[in-house]
Amino acid sequence: MKWLKPFKVAALASVVGVGASFSIQAEELGYPEKEELTFGFIKLTDMAPIAVAYENGYFEDEGLYVTIEAQANWKVLLDGVIDGRLDGAHMLAGQPIAATMGFGTKAHIITPFSMDLNGNGITVSNEIWEEMKPNIPKMDDGRPVHPIKADALKPVVEKYKAEGKPFNMGMVFPVSTHNYELRYWLAAGGIHPGYYAPHKGDTSGKIDADALLSVTPPPQMPATLEAGTIYGYCVGEPWNQQAVFKGIGVPVVTDYEIWKDNPEKVFGITAEFAEKYPNTTVRLTRALIRAAQWLDENDNANRPAAVKILSQSNYVGADYDVIANSMTGTFEYEKGDKREVPDFNVFFRYNATYPYYSDAIWYMTQMRRWGQISEDKSDEWYKELAAKVYRPDIYMKAASSLIEEGLVQAKDFPAADEDGFRDPQTHFIDGIVYDGTKPNEYINKFSIGLKAGDKI
């Protein structure tokens, strides 16, 4: 067997500590309690840390023998983690929160590791693009000015409504980043994406909607668009670039332009797994941190190698060129309109892998905004739920041990006084500032969406 010696986790006061929420004391972490593991994923480029940890031998370095299995959709994946068929999985950031909260399937899911920043886009059909173009400012060379706001789509949606035609759009799951990003972009342009009313048994999310959003699994997005079933969608890569490659649609905006450096996927496990197998949990987190670092190091020098891995049929299985379009620092909008977007996919920079409470709370504010949380909740409620799901204590235990071994550098991790909240974030497409310590104040800033006291 390939083993690392048991390592010591030092106090490392200059590096670790998430406020008073936890403290790492010197202790010895032993061998993994469970060695053979099965992890699930959806065929998206942001599953890369799992594939790289496997292919580069980082899981084996930890004494973990991992099988990686693609899943049909996000519900099947979540159910697999809950029923134990999967030990852990690449998850939508909203899934552990929603499950722990009891929206949909009730289960206590946690995340010790955030998988990436950015990585999504919103694509429309060629027909819709032609109708939007007159509403978009042009640069001197004739190309559209980016970011493209939903203001350009609003007259198109209004025209369809006037003609009695529903304006259908796709997203990948009701608690996905994609759902919230698409809703955010639409609402910022004055297009209402609809409310949920779970207390009334309505989980369609289409109450009062101008644009009707429904679930389509990521790999099926381009075909559904081509068939005319939907007019646009929000999805992760490579399924926006696939639309360009096939000549069936145009990505109009990336999530980097909607919310710069937004958190995207997480690695999810049950709370029961983490409690039963604490050493295994820290060790798998170590392997994922090393993979994320490899993906971003030396100004993304390893990305071509990563693209080669991801293009294998057992991982994402899309053409090398399609995956490389976004993974290597560019993004192609219209055919031939390829632009530099060096941070379209971020796996390690900007503390991408650290599970911030404020990231979890942002998702909850959007759940409340669109009615998935039916009634007002206190700021404390948001913070307490975030702390139940996001586990920076496990993450920093893994990070501190890697620092001690010289495998990563302390400067790449949060400082000792980190409280689990990012500074107020300003880079949103509508200019609204997000402060995770004040969720209710944030919710009340939006012109479209539920506010304090509102209930459908």
Side-chain angles (χ1 to χ4, degrees):
M1 278 190 162
K2 187 176 181 181
W3 289 112
L4 274 182
K5 292 176 183 175
F7 55 76
K8 298 231 179 227
V9 179
L12 290 173
S14 64
V15 181
V16 300
V18 180
S21 65
F22 76 99
S23 63
I24 297 175
Q25 299 173 351
E27 66 182 59
E28 186 174 89
L29 178 63
Y31 298 130
E33 304 89 350
K34 186 173 186 183
E35 303 165 18
E36 295 187 9
L37 304 169
T38 302
F39 296 153
F41 73 95
I42 298 293
K43 292 195 167 196
L44 294 160
T45 55
D46 56 23
M47 64 77 61
I50 299 174
V52 169
Y54 180 87
E55 296 290 339
N56 286 8
Y58 301 146
F59 286 132
E60 278 201 25
D61 286 348
E62 302 297 334
L64 304 176
Y65 300 92
V66 173
T67 301
I68 304 169
E69 295 180 354
Q71 305 297 301
N73 57 53
W74 292 113
K75 185 180 187 310
V76 168
L77 177 144
L78 178 64
D79 289 347
V81 172
I82 292 169
D83 66 24
R85 181 178 58 81
L86 300 173
D87 295 295
H90 163 233
M91 283 189 184
L92 299 159
Q95 282 188 295
I97 299 164
T100 301
M101 186 173 66
F103 182 81
T105 309
K106 173 75 173 169
H108 189 184
I109 308 290
I110 68 162
T111 178
F113 179 85
S114 183
M115 291 189 67
D116 64 317
L117 304 177
N118 311 316
N120 297 334
I122 295 173
T123 292
V124 297
S125 69
N126 292 334
E127 180 188 355
I128 298 300
W129 175 241
E130 289 303 318
E131 294 186 61
M132 285 177 67
K133 275 207 288 194
N135 309 321
I136 302 168
K138 305 270 191 307
M139 298 192 298
D140 291 343
D141 63 6
R143 293 184 301 159
V145 173
H146 283 267
I148 294 172
K149 297 186 176 183
D151 306 56
L153 181 63
K154 188 176 183 182
V156 183
V157 173
E158 288 172 344
K159 174 174 164 280
Y160 276 64
K161 279 186 75 175
E163 294 170 355
K165 294 192 289 189
F167 196 87
N168 298 317
M169 300 190 80
M171 48 80 183
V172 308
F173 202 67
V175 296
S176 66
T177 322
H178 317 77
N179 185 23
Y180 305 128
E181 287 170 351
L182 182 52
R183 287 169 174 273
Y184 198 104
W185 181 72
L186 290 168
I191 302 167
H192 201 305
Y195 292 122
Y196 294 84
H199 56 291
K200 293 182 175 179
D202 188 332
T203 56
S204 70
K206 297 176 182 177
I207 298 169
D208 296 336
D210 297 325
L212 305 174
L213 279 52
S214 58
V215 171
T216 303
Q220 295 172 27
M221 288 285 193
T224 309
L225 185 76
E226 191 172 19
T229 311
I230 54 177
Y231 298 124
Y233 57 71
C234 183
V235 74
E237 281 308 304
W239 307 115
N240 297 288
Q241 294 299 277
Q242 182 81 322
V244 178
F245 190 75
K246 293 181 72 176
I248 59 170
V250 176
V252 291
V253 68
T254 66
D255 59 345
Y256 180 83
E257 296 163 308
I258 298 169
W259 173 16
K260 181 181 175 182
D261 294 334
N262 64 91
E264 178 45 34
K265 302 297 192 306
V266 298
F267 189 82
I269 55 178
T270 63
E272 181 185 15
F273 181 96
E275 287 159 14
K276 191 173 180 182
Y277 310 120
N279 298 349
T280 303
T281 300
V282 172
R283 286 185 176 275
L284 71 85
T285 305
R286 280 167 51 94
L288 291 170
I289 289 172
R290 290 180 69 193
Q293 180 194 40
W294 181 87
L295 280 159
D296 278 12
E297 70 186 4
N298 299 325
D299 295 325
N300 295 352
N302 295 324
R303 291 297 180 86
V307 172
K308 191 172 181 182
I309 292 169
L310 293 174
S311 63
Q312 294 174 195
S313 59
N314 54 317
Y315 293 124
V316 179
D319 289 351
Y320 179 97
D321 290 343
V322 173
I323 298 174
N325 249 9
S326 62
M327 272 283 279
T328 54
T330 61
F331 191 84
E332 192 167 14
Y333 293 93
E334 285 183 276
K335 199 87 167 177
D337 184 5
K338 188 180 282 195
R339 307 195 188 191
E340 296 292 320
V341 189
D343 286 339
F344 180 78
N345 281 118
V346 172
F347 294 99
F348 190 69
R349 293 187 294 280
Y350 318 133
N351 296 327
T353 54
Y354 184 92
Y356 280 99
Y357 298 141
S358 49
D359 291 352
I361 290 170
W362 186 84
Y363 289 105
M364 287 184 259
T365 66
Q366 301 309 295
M367 292 175 183
R368 172 63 187 135
R369 182 183 180 188
W370 304 119
Q372 290 174 332
I373 297 173
S374 300
E375 299 176 324
D376 288 341
K377 302 292 183 182
S378 68
D379 284 355
E380 273 316 301
W381 181 89
Y382 286 95
K383 293 170 188 174
E384 286 170 9
L385 183 57
K388 277 181 84 172
V389 177
Y390 277 46
R391 295 292 301 275
D393 56 323
I394 297 171
Y395 176 90
M396 290 304 286
K397 196 175 202 177
S400 65
S401 64
L402 291 170
I403 292 163
E404 189 178 64
E405 292 178 32
L407 292 170
V408 295
Q409 297 182 50
K411 69 178 179 59
D412 293 326
F413 294 87
D417 61 353
E418 181 66 55
D419 63 358
F421 286 81
R422 296 181 189 271
D423 291 337
Q425 292 170 272
T426 58
H427 296 98
F428 286 84
I429 199 163
D430 56 6
I432 293 176
V433 176
Y434 169 59
D435 181 349
T437 66
K438 301 171 183 175
N440 281 295
E441 182 181 300
Y442 178 63
I443 291 165
N444 285 334
K445 291 179 180 180
F446 297 104
S447 57
I448 296 179
L450 299 179
K451 297 177 182 58
D454 290 347
K455 185 174 180 178
I456 299 296

